[in-house]
Amino acid sequence: MNPSVAALRERFGGAVTRSFESCGDTIVHVDATRAIEILRWLKDTPGQDYNYLADITAVEHRDGERPIEIVYELFSLTRKVPLRVKVELPKAEELAVDSAVPIWAGANWLEREVFDMFGVTFRGHPDLRRILMWETYAEGYPLRKDFPLRGRFSRSEQVRQALNANPEAHYSMEELAIANVAHELPAEIRDRLARGQRGVIPDPEGGRG
Amino acid sequence: MAEKRVMEMALATTGIDSAGRPVRIPLGVEGEDVEPELGGEHMLLNLGPQHPATHGVLRLVVELDGEVVVRCVPHVGYLHSGFEKLGEYRHYNQIIPLTDRTDYLAPMSNNVGLALAVEKLMGLTITPRCTVLRVIACEMSRIISHLVWLGTTAIDIGAFTPFLWTFQEREKIYDLQEAWTGARLTTSLTRVGGLMADIPDGFVEGLRTFCQNFHKTIDEVERALTRNGIWVARTQGIGALSGEEAINWSLSGPMLRASGVDYDVRKDRPYLGYETYDFDVPIGEVGDVYDRYLVRVEELRQSNRILEQALDRLPDGPINVDDHRVILPPKHAAMSDMESMIHHFKQVMEGVKPPVGEAYLPIESPKGELAYYFVSDGTAKPVRWRIRPPAFINLAALPRMAEGHLLSDLIAINASVDIVMGEVDR
């Protein structure tokens, strides 16, 4: 077991909820509200030095009762030691966790991808919008287990939407402002963009996805 | 403007000092704008998704002040294929063809990475011959990937000829790859616990001939570029990132090492016995486009060294583990022996079943740290298959690197990232 786990338990006590090994990797579960504090501590504390954020991703288990896990794969470039930190987000509650962008700039696109694929919100993220799917994608979050492999909409509906897509909608409001064309947009898109609805598209069934 | 012209004229001579080292020639005077402040409004330029310099379907929305990039907003996802979702519906061995299509310039190293990750999940130890053959596959991939990078980047910056030389050399590796796997792109080389096939007759001799002659191509390209005044002026000081910043942006591979950070997965988290090979990891100083070029060129030479060592030590023996719960029994056994037939049936119908657990295994792919993260619930299909895409994460730093440079430099910086959209978008 990675000695950082004992150090974490000593420093953060109850915020470290679980730790175990799997296939030689050490995994430590921490409390969602203190995750960022803990990640910062792991990065900045001498002797820990987990200065490299290798990856951020999420896991949803097939067992629908289990919470969604946010996985931070850390690596210490000085000590050459990996550590996997996980945060559990129960599905009954709001799927949100604080953003790690203030600690690592590289978290930016990784968190956008988790948001895009799982619908997890990262509080304080500077630019949280869809990244791999397009901004007006309305079928939900593709990597969730309740998302069917072929998508929610029928093939004909997908084609219809693609044909009806307004190419101007593929620019963000700031981008349009630079080009001085925002006023030429259809009123509906302009309103939506003006309300700051970038990347947060209302679910067809109501509520946020 | 006039001053810039003069500077370009001066650069038409080679940029080397008296000791023969390349010198860094600034374009314009330090601390002074190349173009005078025009004071006009900013322009929005859309670059891509269909543009030869975006290496696939990358779209960049660029805010320009004159010719200077104020802001660059990359839009990705045009090639999104949902590989990670597809993987959740497939047996572990059926995922291997998906990995061919992520980083399609180096399919064999993706195959190797996937097999290693599943083997870590299952606690399998592969045979010595398989280990060495996988090293050969990885280094062949690195060479073809870097050769494509070198050729296309030279074209992006305006040098056409190196492209022809590197692609000619790449074709030789492709011939060997085709002889081994039957495919140029969709190699699907590995299987969990082994390989799809052993190397064919004449492969070792063919690869040896390649190794002996390969350095000539690199020397030629280096002669054309490394001390070329235009190349130096177009790449030095462009898109520089300090080591600290490169770590902060989670860069990996040549992008990270060009910034002076000594991190190579082959050395620092060894797999496939890389610690037993004698090779060097080139490190840059400035972290600009030029350093990335130098790092990749040196990596080509080092890969060649590893290939030679691997060929020297290639042991005889089986390529697959001797466990028919993982590897299909030979066809003749499946047709004549009851137990083998059952194993064959279960393999085909049910697939390989790793125990409950999770494994993250990084390898040093040509683009950087490529990792596969598997979560298994004990069934034959993964709960989660995550690709840690080095090109995607490296590309995230593009806006930071391009800020304040000229639009033409944006093309050079983008080229230096070495993106493959198949991997960025997955």
Side-chain angles (χ1 to χ4, degrees), chain B residues 103 105-112 134-148 173-174 177 187 189 300 303 307 364-367:
Chain B
D103 179 357
L105 295 179
M108 290 202 294
S109 72
N110 301 343
N111 301 156
V112 170
R134 283 185 182 180
V135 168
I136 290 176
C138 283
E139 297 309 318
M140 280 168 67
S141 290
R142 194 179 322 280
I143 288 178
I144 52 177
S145 176
H146 281 5
L147 284 177
V148 172
I173 289 260
Y174 262 152
Q177 187 175 303
T187 53
L189 171 74
L300 282 170
S303 284
L307 277 180
E364 186 69 32
S365 94
K367 309 289 180 293

PDB file of all heavy atoms in Angstrom, chain B residues 103 105-112 134-148 173-174 177 187 189 300 303 307 364-367:
ATOM      1  N   ASP B 103      -5.317   5.936 -32.413  1.00  0.00           N
ATOM      2  CA  ASP B 103      -4.126   6.557 -32.991  1.00  0.00           C
ATOM      3  C   ASP B 103      -3.747   5.732 -34.219  1.00  0.00           C
ATOM      4  O   ASP B 103      -2.950   4.813 -34.137  1.00  0.00           O
ATOM      5  CB  ASP B 103      -2.994   6.573 -31.958  1.00  0.00           C
ATOM      6  CG  ASP B 103      -1.723   7.182 -32.531  1.00  0.00           C
ATOM      7  OD1 ASP B 103      -1.734   7.516 -33.726  1.00  0.00           O
ATOM      8  OD2 ASP B 103      -0.751   7.315 -31.793  1.00  0.00           O
ATOM      9  N   LEU B 105      -1.952   6.266 -36.672  1.00  0.00           N
ATOM     10  CA  LEU B 105      -0.599   6.346 -37.221  1.00  0.00           C
ATOM     11  C   LEU B 105       0.341   5.396 -36.500  1.00  0.00           C
ATOM     12  O   LEU B 105       1.473   5.188 -36.933  1.00  0.00           O
ATOM     13  CB  LEU B 105      -0.059   7.772 -37.126  1.00  0.00           C
ATOM     14  CG  LEU B 105      -0.812   8.789 -37.966  1.00  0.00           C
ATOM     15  CD1 LEU B 105      -0.220  10.163 -37.786  1.00  0.00           C
ATOM     16  CD2 LEU B 105      -0.773   8.402 -39.437  1.00  0.00           C
ATOM     17  N   ALA B 106      -0.100   4.838 -35.388  1.00  0.00           N
ATOM     18  CA  ALA B 106       0.744   3.897 -34.646  1.00  0.00           C
ATOM     19  C   ALA B 106      -0.141   2.793 -34.067  1.00  0.00           C
ATOM     20  O   ALA B 106      -0.190   2.619 -32.853  1.00  0.00           O
ATOM     21  CB  ALA B 106       1.500   4.618 -33.538  1.00  0.00           C
ATOM     22  N   PRO B 107      -0.843   2.057 -34.911  1.00  0.00           N
ATOM     23  CA  PRO B 107      -1.838   1.112 -34.375  1.00  0.00           C
ATOM     24  C   PRO B 107      -1.226   0.016 -33.513  1.00  0.00           C
ATOM     25  O   PRO B 107      -1.834  -0.401 -32.534  1.00  0.00           O
ATOM     26  CB  PRO B 107      -2.494   0.532 -35.633  1.00  0.00           C
ATOM     27  CG  PRO B 107      -1.565   0.817 -36.746  1.00  0.00           C
ATOM     28  CD  PRO B 107      -0.842   2.066 -36.388  1.00  0.00           C
ATOM     29  N   MET B 108      -0.009  -0.423 -33.853  1.00  0.00           N
ATOM     30  CA  MET B 108       0.539  -1.559 -33.112  1.00  0.00           C
ATOM     31  C   MET B 108       0.826  -1.213 -31.665  1.00  0.00           C
ATOM     32  O   MET B 108       0.632  -2.042 -30.780  1.00  0.00           O
ATOM     33  CB  MET B 108       1.797  -2.084 -33.799  1.00  0.00           C
ATOM     34  CG  MET B 108       1.481  -2.779 -35.113  1.00  0.00           C
ATOM     35  SD  MET B 108       2.757  -3.920 -35.637  1.00  0.00           S
ATOM     36  CE  MET B 108       4.106  -2.839 -35.973  1.00  0.00           C
ATOM     37  N   SER B 109       1.260   0.017 -31.385  1.00  0.00           N
ATOM     38  CA  SER B 109       1.531   0.341 -29.979  1.00  0.00           C
ATOM     39  C   SER B 109       0.220   0.450 -29.200  1.00  0.00           C
ATOM     40  O   SER B 109       0.191   0.151 -28.008  1.00  0.00           O
ATOM     41  CB  SER B 109       2.392   1.588 -29.849  1.00  0.00           C
ATOM     42  OG  SER B 109       1.680   2.728 -30.176  1.00  0.00           O
ATOM     43  N   ASN B 110      -0.862   0.866 -29.869  1.00  0.00           N
ATOM     44  CA  ASN B 110      -2.162   0.863 -29.173  1.00  0.00           C
ATOM     45  C   ASN B 110      -2.569  -0.561 -28.813  1.00  0.00           C
ATOM     46  O   ASN B 110      -3.062  -0.823 -27.725  1.00  0.00           O
ATOM     47  CB  ASN B 110      -3.258   1.451 -30.056  1.00  0.00           C
ATOM     48  CG  ASN B 110      -2.978   2.853 -30.480  1.00  0.00           C
ATOM     49  OD1 ASN B 110      -2.133   3.510 -29.890  1.00  0.00           O
ATOM     50  ND2 ASN B 110      -3.655   3.312 -31.490  1.00  0.00           N
ATOM     51  N   ASN B 111      -2.390  -1.483 -29.765  1.00  0.00           N
ATOM     52  CA  ASN B 111      -2.739  -2.883 -29.514  1.00  0.00           C
ATOM     53  C   ASN B 111      -1.965  -3.407 -28.314  1.00  0.00           C
ATOM     54  O   ASN B 111      -2.533  -4.072 -27.438  1.00  0.00           O
ATOM     55  CB  ASN B 111      -2.391  -3.760 -30.720  1.00  0.00           C
ATOM     56  CG  ASN B 111      -3.098  -3.346 -32.002  1.00  0.00           C
ATOM     57  OD1 ASN B 111      -2.634  -3.630 -33.088  1.00  0.00           O
ATOM     58  ND2 ASN B 111      -4.231  -2.677 -31.885  1.00  0.00           N
ATOM     59  N   VAL B 112      -0.677  -3.088 -28.287  1.00  0.00           N
ATOM     60  CA  VAL B 112       0.167  -3.576 -27.194  1.00  0.00           C
ATOM     61  C   VAL B 112      -0.322  -3.004 -25.861  1.00  0.00           C
ATOM     62  O   VAL B 112      -0.453  -3.723 -24.869  1.00  0.00           O
ATOM     63  CB  VAL B 112       1.636  -3.212 -27.451  1.00  0.00           C
ATOM     64  CG1 VAL B 112       2.487  -3.492 -26.227  1.00  0.00           C
ATOM     65  CG2 VAL B 112       2.162  -3.974 -28.660  1.00  0.00           C
ATOM     66  N   ARG B 134       6.646  -7.561 -28.758  1.00  0.00           N
ATOM     67  CA  ARG B 134       5.832  -6.370 -28.495  1.00  0.00           C
ATOM     68  C   ARG B 134       6.696  -5.116 -28.443  1.00  0.00           C
ATOM     69  O   ARG B 134       6.257  -4.039 -28.866  1.00  0.00           O
ATOM     70  CB  ARG B 134       5.065  -6.544 -27.195  1.00  0.00           C
ATOM     71  CG  ARG B 134       3.875  -7.461 -27.356  1.00  0.00           C
ATOM     72  CD  ARG B 134       3.072  -7.522 -26.083  1.00  0.00           C
ATOM     73  NE  ARG B 134       1.946  -8.427 -26.199  1.00  0.00           N
ATOM     74  CZ  ARG B 134       1.090  -8.656 -25.210  1.00  0.00           C
ATOM     75  NH1 ARG B 134       1.252  -8.061 -24.058  1.00  0.00           N
ATOM     76  NH2 ARG B 134       0.089  -9.486 -25.384  1.00  0.00           N
ATOM     77  N   VAL B 135       7.905  -5.255 -27.899  1.00  0.00           N
ATOM     78  CA  VAL B 135       8.817  -4.110 -27.920  1.00  0.00           C
ATOM     79  C   VAL B 135       9.095  -3.710 -29.365  1.00  0.00           C
ATOM     80  O   VAL B 135       9.076  -2.526 -29.725  1.00  0.00           O
ATOM     81  CB  VAL B 135      10.130  -4.446 -27.180  1.00  0.00           C
ATOM     82  CG1 VAL B 135      11.181  -3.384 -27.436  1.00  0.00           C
ATOM     83  CG2 VAL B 135       9.876  -4.573 -25.692  1.00  0.00           C
ATOM     84  N   ILE B 136       9.328  -4.715 -30.219  1.00  0.00           N
ATOM     85  CA  ILE B 136       9.588  -4.429 -31.632  1.00  0.00           C
ATOM     86  C   ILE B 136       8.384  -3.708 -32.239  1.00  0.00           C
ATOM     87  O   ILE B 136       8.529  -2.710 -32.952  1.00  0.00           O
ATOM     88  CB  ILE B 136       9.907  -5.743 -32.384  1.00  0.00           C
ATOM     89  CG1 ILE B 136      11.268  -6.278 -31.931  1.00  0.00           C
ATOM     90  CG2 ILE B 136       9.882  -5.520 -33.891  1.00  0.00           C
ATOM     91  CD1 ILE B 136      11.645  -7.611 -32.534  1.00  0.00           C
ATOM     92  N   ALA B 137       7.179  -4.194 -31.912  1.00  0.00           N
ATOM     93  CA  ALA B 137       5.972  -3.559 -32.457  1.00  0.00           C
ATOM     94  C   ALA B 137       5.870  -2.107 -32.001  1.00  0.00           C
ATOM     95  O   ALA B 137       5.571  -1.211 -32.798  1.00  0.00           O
ATOM     96  CB  ALA B 137       4.734  -4.342 -32.020  1.00  0.00           C
ATOM     97  N   CYS B 138       6.140  -1.864 -30.714  1.00  0.00           N
ATOM     98  CA  CYS B 138       6.039  -0.500 -30.185  1.00  0.00           C
ATOM     99  C   CYS B 138       7.024   0.431 -30.872  1.00  0.00           C
ATOM    100  O   CYS B 138       6.689   1.567 -31.233  1.00  0.00           O
ATOM    101  CB  CYS B 138       6.314  -0.485 -28.681  1.00  0.00           C
ATOM    102  SG  CYS B 138       4.954  -1.059 -27.707  1.00  0.00           S
ATOM    103  N   GLU B 139       8.255  -0.044 -31.029  1.00  0.00           N
ATOM    104  CA  GLU B 139       9.274   0.848 -31.590  1.00  0.00           C
ATOM    105  C   GLU B 139       9.070   1.042 -33.089  1.00  0.00           C
ATOM    106  O   GLU B 139       9.347   2.111 -33.627  1.00  0.00           O
ATOM    107  CB  GLU B 139      10.682   0.320 -31.277  1.00  0.00           C
ATOM    108  CG  GLU B 139      10.990   0.262 -29.791  1.00  0.00           C
ATOM    109  CD  GLU B 139      10.700   1.569 -29.059  1.00  0.00           C
ATOM    110  OE1 GLU B 139      11.021   2.648 -29.593  1.00  0.00           O
ATOM    111  OE2 GLU B 139      10.125   1.508 -27.962  1.00  0.00           O
ATOM    112  N   MET B 140       8.569   0.019 -33.784  1.00  0.00           N
ATOM    113  CA  MET B 140       8.217   0.218 -35.193  1.00  0.00           C
ATOM    114  C   MET B 140       7.135   1.288 -35.303  1.00  0.00           C
ATOM    115  O   MET B 140       7.184   2.160 -36.175  1.00  0.00           O
ATOM    116  CB  MET B 140       7.701  -1.097 -35.808  1.00  0.00           C
ATOM    117  CG  MET B 140       8.791  -2.072 -36.209  1.00  0.00           C
ATOM    118  SD  MET B 140       8.135  -3.712 -36.600  1.00  0.00           S
ATOM    119  CE  MET B 140       7.185  -3.411 -38.068  1.00  0.00           C
ATOM    120  N   SER B 141       6.167   1.234 -34.399  1.00  0.00           N
ATOM    121  CA  SER B 141       5.098   2.234 -34.411  1.00  0.00           C
ATOM    122  C   SER B 141       5.652   3.621 -34.153  1.00  0.00           C
ATOM    123  O   SER B 141       5.238   4.592 -34.790  1.00  0.00           O
ATOM    124  CB  SER B 141       4.065   1.920 -33.338  1.00  0.00           C
ATOM    125  OG  SER B 141       3.352   0.781 -33.673  1.00  0.00           O
ATOM    126  N   ARG B 142       6.580   3.706 -33.198  1.00  0.00           N
ATOM    127  CA  ARG B 142       7.130   5.024 -32.888  1.00  0.00           C
ATOM    128  C   ARG B 142       7.824   5.586 -34.131  1.00  0.00           C
ATOM    129  O   ARG B 142       7.715   6.769 -34.444  1.00  0.00           O
ATOM    130  CB  ARG B 142       8.113   4.934 -31.710  1.00  0.00           C
ATOM    131  CG  ARG B 142       8.449   6.284 -31.125  1.00  0.00           C
ATOM    132  CD  ARG B 142       9.405   6.185 -29.945  1.00  0.00           C
ATOM    133  NE  ARG B 142       9.133   5.040 -29.107  1.00  0.00           N
ATOM    134  CZ  ARG B 142       8.178   4.994 -28.194  1.00  0.00           C
ATOM    135  NH1 ARG B 142       7.438   6.036 -27.964  1.00  0.00           N
ATOM    136  NH2 ARG B 142       7.984   3.906 -27.496  1.00  0.00           N
ATOM    137  N   ILE B 143       8.541   4.717 -34.833  1.00  0.00           N
ATOM    138  CA  ILE B 143       9.266   5.211 -36.006  1.00  0.00           C
ATOM    139  C   ILE B 143       8.291   5.689 -37.083  1.00  0.00           C
ATOM    140  O   ILE B 143       8.439   6.790 -37.612  1.00  0.00           O
ATOM    141  CB  ILE B 143      10.223   4.113 -36.536  1.00  0.00           C
ATOM    142  CG1 ILE B 143      11.405   3.963 -35.566  1.00  0.00           C
ATOM    143  CG2 ILE B 143      10.718   4.460 -37.928  1.00  0.00           C
ATOM    144  CD1 ILE B 143      12.388   2.897 -35.949  1.00  0.00           C
ATOM    145  N   ILE B 144       7.264   4.900 -37.383  1.00  0.00           N
ATOM    146  CA  ILE B 144       6.370   5.370 -38.455  1.00  0.00           C
ATOM    147  C   ILE B 144       5.603   6.611 -38.025  1.00  0.00           C
ATOM    148  O   ILE B 144       5.397   7.516 -38.821  1.00  0.00           O
ATOM    149  CB  ILE B 144       5.402   4.265 -38.967  1.00  0.00           C
ATOM    150  CG1 ILE B 144       4.631   3.602 -37.858  1.00  0.00           C
ATOM    151  CG2 ILE B 144       6.111   3.258 -39.825  1.00  0.00           C
ATOM    152  CD1 ILE B 144       3.636   2.572 -38.353  1.00  0.00           C
ATOM    153  N   SER B 145       5.215   6.664 -36.761  1.00  0.00           N
ATOM    154  CA  SER B 145       4.463   7.832 -36.307  1.00  0.00           C
ATOM    155  C   SER B 145       5.331   9.099 -36.369  1.00  0.00           C
ATOM    156  O   SER B 145       4.893  10.137 -36.852  1.00  0.00           O
ATOM    157  CB  SER B 145       3.966   7.603 -34.893  1.00  0.00           C
ATOM    158  OG  SER B 145       3.331   8.751 -34.415  1.00  0.00           O
ATOM    159  N   HIS B 146       6.564   8.992 -35.882  1.00  0.00           N
ATOM    160  CA  HIS B 146       7.445  10.161 -35.906  1.00  0.00           C
ATOM    161  C   HIS B 146       7.814  10.537 -37.336  1.00  0.00           C
ATOM    162  O   HIS B 146       8.014  11.717 -37.624  1.00  0.00           O
ATOM    163  CB  HIS B 146       8.715   9.883 -35.096  1.00  0.00           C
ATOM    164  CG  HIS B 146       8.517  10.020 -33.606  1.00  0.00           C
ATOM    165  ND1 HIS B 146       7.289  10.265 -33.043  1.00  0.00           N
ATOM    166  CD2 HIS B 146       9.385   9.965 -32.574  1.00  0.00           C
ATOM    167  CE1 HIS B 146       7.416  10.342 -31.721  1.00  0.00           C
ATOM    168  NE2 HIS B 146       8.691  10.153 -31.412  1.00  0.00           N
ATOM    169  N   LEU B 147       7.909   9.545 -38.221  1.00  0.00           N
ATOM    170  CA  LEU B 147       8.235   9.869 -39.614  1.00  0.00           C
ATOM    171  C   LEU B 147       7.089  10.648 -40.258  1.00  0.00           C
ATOM    172  O   LEU B 147       7.329  11.609 -40.991  1.00  0.00           O
ATOM    173  CB  LEU B 147       8.526   8.594 -40.413  1.00  0.00           C
ATOM    174  CG  LEU B 147       9.893   7.947 -40.172  1.00  0.00           C
ATOM    175  CD1 LEU B 147      10.018   6.665 -40.979  1.00  0.00           C
ATOM    176  CD2 LEU B 147      11.035   8.889 -40.531  1.00  0.00           C
ATOM    177  N   VAL B 148       5.858  10.238 -39.979  1.00  0.00           N
ATOM    178  CA  VAL B 148       4.715  11.000 -40.503  1.00  0.00           C
ATOM    179  C   VAL B 148       4.746  12.405 -39.930  1.00  0.00           C
ATOM    180  O   VAL B 148       4.559  13.391 -40.637  1.00  0.00           O
ATOM    181  CB  VAL B 148       3.386  10.312 -40.142  1.00  0.00           C
ATOM    182  CG1 VAL B 148       2.220  11.206 -40.510  1.00  0.00           C
ATOM    183  CG2 VAL B 148       3.256   8.999 -40.857  1.00  0.00           C
ATOM    184  N   ILE B 173       8.708   0.177 -43.238  1.00  0.00           N
ATOM    185  CA  ILE B 173       8.145  -0.372 -42.002  1.00  0.00           C
ATOM    186  C   ILE B 173       6.754  -0.919 -42.268  1.00  0.00           C
ATOM    187  O   ILE B 173       6.370  -1.976 -41.768  1.00  0.00           O
ATOM    188  CB  ILE B 173       8.086   0.705 -40.899  1.00  0.00           C
ATOM    189  CG1 ILE B 173       9.478   1.041 -40.416  1.00  0.00           C
ATOM    190  CG2 ILE B 173       7.202   0.272 -39.755  1.00  0.00           C
ATOM    191  CD1 ILE B 173       9.899   0.393 -39.149  1.00  0.00           C
ATOM    192  N   TYR B 174       5.997  -0.196 -43.080  1.00  0.00           N
ATOM    193  CA  TYR B 174       4.646  -0.655 -43.388  1.00  0.00           C
ATOM    194  C   TYR B 174       4.665  -2.011 -44.093  1.00  0.00           C
ATOM    195  O   TYR B 174       3.803  -2.856 -43.846  1.00  0.00           O
ATOM    196  CB  TYR B 174       3.904   0.380 -44.249  1.00  0.00           C
ATOM    197  CG  TYR B 174       2.993   1.267 -43.440  1.00  0.00           C
ATOM    198  CD1 TYR B 174       2.695   2.556 -43.841  1.00  0.00           C
ATOM    199  CD2 TYR B 174       2.402   0.806 -42.273  1.00  0.00           C
ATOM    200  CE1 TYR B 174       1.858   3.365 -43.099  1.00  0.00           C
ATOM    201  CE2 TYR B 174       1.568   1.606 -41.531  1.00  0.00           C
ATOM    202  CZ  TYR B 174       1.295   2.886 -41.938  1.00  0.00           C
ATOM    203  OH  TYR B 174       0.465   3.680 -41.196  1.00  0.00           O
ATOM    204  N   GLN B 177       5.210  -4.471 -41.421  1.00  0.00           N
ATOM    205  CA  GLN B 177       3.998  -4.550 -40.612  1.00  0.00           C
ATOM    206  C   GLN B 177       2.933  -5.359 -41.348  1.00  0.00           C
ATOM    207  O   GLN B 177       2.227  -6.167 -40.754  1.00  0.00           O
ATOM    208  CB  GLN B 177       3.518  -3.122 -40.369  1.00  0.00           C
ATOM    209  CG  GLN B 177       2.380  -3.000 -39.412  1.00  0.00           C
ATOM    210  CD  GLN B 177       2.066  -1.538 -39.139  1.00  0.00           C
ATOM    211  OE1 GLN B 177       2.920  -0.771 -38.707  1.00  0.00           O
ATOM    212  NE2 GLN B 177       0.851  -1.136 -39.401  1.00  0.00           N
ATOM    213  N   THR B 187      -4.105  -3.270 -37.735  1.00  0.00           N
ATOM    214  CA  THR B 187      -3.199  -4.388 -37.472  1.00  0.00           C
ATOM    215  C   THR B 187      -3.773  -5.414 -36.507  1.00  0.00           C
ATOM    216  O   THR B 187      -3.583  -6.601 -36.705  1.00  0.00           O
ATOM    217  CB  THR B 187      -1.882  -3.865 -36.897  1.00  0.00           C
ATOM    218  OG1 THR B 187      -2.200  -3.040 -35.778  1.00  0.00           O
ATOM    219  CG2 THR B 187      -1.123  -3.045 -37.907  1.00  0.00           C
ATOM    220  N   LEU B 189      -2.757  -6.486 -33.727  1.00  0.00           N
ATOM    221  CA  LEU B 189      -1.635  -7.404 -33.575  1.00  0.00           C
ATOM    222  C   LEU B 189      -1.739  -8.298 -32.354  1.00  0.00           C
ATOM    223  O   LEU B 189      -1.426  -9.483 -32.416  1.00  0.00           O
ATOM    224  CB  LEU B 189      -0.339  -6.589 -33.501  1.00  0.00           C
ATOM    225  CG  LEU B 189       0.917  -7.356 -33.136  1.00  0.00           C
ATOM    226  CD1 LEU B 189       1.363  -8.202 -34.311  1.00  0.00           C
ATOM    227  CD2 LEU B 189       2.014  -6.404 -32.726  1.00  0.00           C
ATOM    228  N   LEU B 300      13.778   8.938 -32.845  1.00  0.00           N
ATOM    229  CA  LEU B 300      13.845   8.016 -33.980  1.00  0.00           C
ATOM    230  C   LEU B 300      15.127   7.195 -33.901  1.00  0.00           C
ATOM    231  O   LEU B 300      15.127   5.977 -34.071  1.00  0.00           O
ATOM    232  CB  LEU B 300      13.811   8.802 -35.295  1.00  0.00           C
ATOM    233  CG  LEU B 300      12.451   9.316 -35.750  1.00  0.00           C
ATOM    234  CD1 LEU B 300      12.609  10.268 -36.916  1.00  0.00           C
ATOM    235  CD2 LEU B 300      11.558   8.164 -36.144  1.00  0.00           C
ATOM    236  N   SER B 303      14.899   4.748 -31.004  1.00  0.00           N
ATOM    237  CA  SER B 303      14.018   3.624 -31.324  1.00  0.00           C
ATOM    238  C   SER B 303      14.755   2.610 -32.181  1.00  0.00           C
ATOM    239  O   SER B 303      14.587   1.401 -32.023  1.00  0.00           O
ATOM    240  CB  SER B 303      12.785   4.116 -32.076  1.00  0.00           C
ATOM    241  OG  SER B 303      11.911   4.730 -31.197  1.00  0.00           O
ATOM    242  N   LEU B 307      15.340  -1.283 -31.411  1.00  0.00           N
ATOM    243  CA  LEU B 307      14.988  -2.332 -32.363  1.00  0.00           C
ATOM    244  C   LEU B 307      16.158  -3.284 -32.575  1.00  0.00           C
ATOM    245  O   LEU B 307      15.992  -4.500 -32.586  1.00  0.00           O
ATOM    246  CB  LEU B 307      14.581  -1.711 -33.705  1.00  0.00           C
ATOM    247  CG  LEU B 307      13.139  -1.225 -33.848  1.00  0.00           C
ATOM    248  CD1 LEU B 307      12.927  -0.648 -35.234  1.00  0.00           C
ATOM    249  CD2 LEU B 307      12.159  -2.354 -33.601  1.00  0.00           C
ATOM    250  N   GLU B 364       4.416   4.361 -23.218  1.00  0.00           N
ATOM    251  CA  GLU B 364       4.937   5.524 -23.931  1.00  0.00           C
ATOM    252  C   GLU B 364       4.608   5.337 -25.405  1.00  0.00           C
ATOM    253  O   GLU B 364       5.351   4.703 -26.144  1.00  0.00           O
ATOM    254  CB  GLU B 364       6.451   5.648 -23.709  1.00  0.00           C
ATOM    255  CG  GLU B 364       7.073   6.903 -24.288  1.00  0.00           C
ATOM    256  CD  GLU B 364       6.663   8.192 -23.590  1.00  0.00           C
ATOM    257  OE1 GLU B 364       6.431   8.154 -22.380  1.00  0.00           O
ATOM    258  OE2 GLU B 364       6.571   9.221 -24.273  1.00  0.00           O
ATOM    259  N   SER B 365       3.471   5.866 -25.803  1.00  0.00           N
ATOM    260  CA  SER B 365       3.124   5.777 -27.221  1.00  0.00           C
ATOM    261  C   SER B 365       3.871   6.904 -27.939  1.00  0.00           C
ATOM    262  O   SER B 365       4.428   7.787 -27.298  1.00  0.00           O
ATOM    263  CB  SER B 365       1.611   5.911 -27.405  1.00  0.00           C
ATOM    264  OG  SER B 365       1.260   7.236 -27.677  1.00  0.00           O
ATOM    265  N   PRO B 366       3.907   6.872 -29.272  1.00  0.00           N
ATOM    266  CA  PRO B 366       4.631   7.944 -29.967  1.00  0.00           C
ATOM    267  C   PRO B 366       4.139   9.331 -29.599  1.00  0.00           C
ATOM    268  O   PRO B 366       4.904  10.284 -29.614  1.00  0.00           O
ATOM    269  CB  PRO B 366       4.355   7.645 -31.441  1.00  0.00           C
ATOM    270  CG  PRO B 366       4.045   6.196 -31.491  1.00  0.00           C
ATOM    271  CD  PRO B 366       3.413   5.847 -30.201  1.00  0.00           C
ATOM    272  N   LYS B 367       2.867   9.470 -29.232  1.00  0.00           N
ATOM    273  CA  LYS B 367       2.315  10.789 -28.943  1.00  0.00           C
ATOM    274  C   LYS B 367       2.545  11.205 -27.494  1.00  0.00           C
ATOM    275  O   LYS B 367       2.442  12.373 -27.169  1.00  0.00           O
ATOM    276  CB  LYS B 367       0.806  10.788 -29.212  1.00  0.00           C
ATOM    277  CG  LYS B 367       0.410  10.256 -30.560  1.00  0.00           C
ATOM    278  CD  LYS B 367       0.787  11.198 -31.676  1.00  0.00           C
ATOM    279  CE  LYS B 367       0.376  10.656 -33.025  1.00  0.00           C
ATOM    280  NZ  LYS B 367       1.115   9.450 -33.433  1.00  0.00           N
TER     281      LYS B 367
END
